[in-house]
Amino acid sequence: MKVIKEKDLPINEETVCTIGNFDGFHKGHTYILKLVKETADKEGKKSLVITFEPHPKKILSPQNAPCRITSLETKLDLLKDQKIDYVYVINFDKNFAEKSPEEFIRFLTCELKCRKLIVGHDWKFGYRGKGDIKTAKEIGKKYTLEVEVVPPIKIDNERISSTKIREFLKRGDVYNVSKLLGRTYCIKGKIHKGNQIGKKIGFPTINIKPPEDLCLKKGVYSGYVSFNGEVYPAVINYGTRPTVDGKDLFIEAHIIGKSIDITEKQQVKIFFKDFIREEKKFSDINQLKKQIKSDITNAMKVLEVK
């Protein structure tokens, strides 16, 4: 998979494309991506995903911007797993937001060589979202662009949406989040060196910085850490570590029953299996150690670690 930037445009190969935030990267998204890939292969074209950074509402309506489900890093990793050929990350700003629907379609077809666009039924585009599916089909005739619409994907007769996933994440309900995603909820990031307090009290942790405005409820979770092709059971804390006067948000994972040699800035994935408890400030380090032991026992039960 190649991540292309503005300097790489125009690209020279015809593409089948889709466009969206793909923040949730849920079953509805993976269905569209699979269709894009299959169609591109069938038609002898390249598959292309166009996404945004930051979320458009961060620029257009900051007070209404949704919290984040995944980081850009995690999203790109998931797109790679789908064997997408090209990803174009639009640096979304007010200039881009002011493109008219026709300017936007011209950009897709001339700069990104998109010949077939596959999108959800409620897709909107162009200045103030004035373009819709009908508009895209009408303008598309002028620019040799075919538009294919995918109906909503449902589970138990309910539409899968990023909004629903955000609601579950705010409650710490990663079990139901994973059902909607069709995969275990995870965050990918580079290891950051912490203050080593976990190591000093006998529970060393792998620390990553979460994306800004992460939807996830603060607290302790059972889950897994993955790096270098290996997966390890872990107890995970997302929060500010109030007992040790922490101020910055971190995702910390203690690998259960194994000492791992891992270096700073190495890439890891942290998977969230189930919620154990809310974040809490303890009276002293001994109380914290006692609670961590209990958290590990609970995590081992959920993860069926012996």
Side-chain angles (χ1 to χ4, degrees):
M1 183 181 84
K2 183 177 181 181
V3 180
I4 53 177
K5 300 180 180 179
E6 191 173 356
K7 65 179 178 60
D8 302 312
L9 302 181
I11 60 176
N12 297 318
E13 299 172 288
E14 292 190 337
T15 64
V16 174
C17 68
T18 188
I19 183 167
N21 291 308
F22 298 104
D23 186 24
F25 220 97
H26 53 62
K27 284 184 176 179
H29 293 147
T30 53
Y31 178 85
I32 290 176
L33 293 169
K34 185 179 178 183
L35 186 58
V36 167
K37 181 64 179 172
E38 289 176 350
T39 305
D41 289 347
K42 183 179 177 181
E43 297 185 4
K45 297 179 174 65
K46 295 294 184 180
S47 54
L48 167 67
V49 171
I50 303 127
T51 190
F52 306 101
E53 185 66 23
H55 192 291
K57 282 190 177 180
K58 277 276 188 183
I59 303 300
L60 303 176
S61 180
Q63 67 278 10
N64 296 318
C67 56
R68 296 195 70 150
I69 298 172
T70 60
S71 61
L72 176 61
E73 208 166 13
T74 308
K75 192 185 339 183
L76 292 175
D77 198 63
L78 292 166
L79 286 167
K80 188 176 180 181
D81 289 343
Q82 297 293 318
K83 295 182 169 51
I84 296 298
D85 296 308
Y86 291 113
V87 177
Y88 182 62
V89 182
I90 292 172
N91 181 19
F92 196 86
D93 56 20
K94 287 187 177 179
N95 287 334
F96 194 90
E98 289 174 358
K99 284 184 183 292
S100 68
E102 180 159 351
E103 285 176 319
F104 189 80
I105 295 297
R106 186 167 65 242
F107 171 76
L108 288 185
T109 54
C110 297
E111 298 295 307
L112 297 170
K113 298 293 189 294
C114 186
R115 297 295 173 255
K116 178 178 277 189
L117 172 66
I118 301 176
V119 287
H121 73 289
D122 56 354
W123 182 61
K124 295 283 174 61
F125 67 101
Y127 182 59
R128 293 187 176 176
K130 290 181 178 179
D132 56 14
I133 298 295
K134 183 181 177 183
T135 312
K137 288 183 174 180
E138 288 172 353
I139 300 173
K141 291 175 185 175
K142 180 178 177 181
Y143 291 95
T144 323
L145 176 70
E146 183 183 349
V147 180
E148 183 174 339
V149 182
V150 177
I153 308 298
K154 297 182 179 181
I155 291 180
D156 299 329
N157 222 25
E158 186 174 356
R159 183 189 168 205
I160 301 173
S161 71
S162 294
T163 300
K164 190 70 178 175
I165 292 167
R166 288 187 178 94
E167 289 173 6
F168 282 135
L169 283 174
K170 287 175 182 178
R171 300 203 294 262
D173 189 354
V174 289
Y175 174 79
N176 274 309
V177 167
S178 295
K179 281 177 65 178
L180 296 181
L181 296 179
R183 58 183 172 83
T184 304
Y185 176 68
C186 74
I187 295 291
K188 182 180 181 181
K190 291 179 182 177
I191 292 188
H192 281 251
K193 188 175 182 179
N195 52 22
Q196 305 292 299
I197 288 177
K199 187 175 183 179
K200 290 173 185 174
I201 64 174
F203 303 101
T205 58
I206 287 169
N207 308 323
I208 66 172
K209 286 290 288 180
E212 186 182 350
D213 300 328
L214 187 65
C215 292
L216 187 65
K217 180 177 182 177
K218 295 180 182 66
V220 178
Y221 297 80
S222 62
Y224 300 92
V225 174
S226 171
F227 62 93
N228 289 345
E230 299 289 338
V231 178
Y232 304 94
V235 61
I236 304 155
N237 181 73
Y238 169 57
T240 57
R241 302 159 294 172
T243 306
V244 295
D245 295 322
K247 294 177 181 178
D248 296 327
L249 271 171
F250 273 99
I251 296 174
E252 303 174 293
H254 170 69
I255 294 173
I256 297 171
K258 196 156 188 166
S259 178
I260 303 298
D261 184 23
I262 191 164
T263 58
E264 192 176 359
K265 296 188 178 178
Q266 189 168 345
Q267 291 276 6
V268 297
K269 285 184 188 176
I270 296 181
F271 295 86
F272 295 79
K273 183 72 174 175
D274 221 338
F275 185 77
I276 294 177
R277 65 170 176 87
E278 297 193 9
E279 187 176 47
K280 179 182 176 182
K281 183 172 182 177
F282 295 93
S283 57
D284 56 46
I285 292 295
N286 286 331
Q287 287 296 315
L288 174 61
K289 287 169 68 175
K290 186 177 178 181
Q291 183 62 59
I292 292 173
K293 288 178 182 177
S294 175
D295 295 338
I296 291 171
T297 299
N298 288 331
M300 289 172 70
K301 288 177 183 176
V302 173
L303 303 173
E304 298 181 350
V305 175
K306 295 180 181 179

